Amino acid sequence: MYRIGQGYDVHRISEGLPMWLCGIRVPSTTGFVAHSDGDVAIHALCDALLGAAALGDIGQIFPDTSDEFAGIDSKILLDRVMALLRFNGWELLNADITIALQSPKIASLVPDMRESLAAVIGADVSCISVKATTTERLGFVGRGEGCEAWAVAMLRKK
Ligand code: MG
């Protein structure tokens, strides 16, 4: 049995906050406003994984009203989502993430991002794709107000 899922997330950008994407600290004077560490890419991936398994969404499983998740490293959230999938008999075949961010440029960090996600998931890095784009200065991403991420994931249950 195969299932596909998609996920989306957005976080506001502000000065003086840390910027985490795919579990990598991005060198930047700006970062993401969030209850957790604001890693939009991991949040989108978690929702794609949960969506494929029809197991709800990241907001249900890790409520932003809970102190337990305040400032939490999103790699922990991803690890817990993967454990939930495995408990339900699912394995990840591949995932593909697109990050829309105007600044800073993150293309050079993509190999580290893929390694970071693959390590948490326990998958080969060839199964994990990360792509970065700007929005040509259009919209809230283009004005540097926020960062968006989309993810798709394919799961298999034997
Ligand atoms: Mg989020």
Side-chain angles (χ1 to χ4, degrees), residues 51-73:
L55 287 170
D57 65 51
I58 192 172
Q60 291 170 354
I61 296 179
F62 310 112
D64 65 6
T65 50
S66 167
D67 288 344
E68 183 188 353
F69 306 119
I72 195 169
D73 179 344

Side-chain angles (χ1 to χ4, degrees), residues 1-16:
M1 183 160 61
Y2 296 86
R3 290 286 186 270
I4 191 165
Q6 62 96 24
Y8 168 77
D9 196 28
V10 57
H11 278 279
R12 192 142 33 98
I13 290 175
S14 184
E15 289 287 336

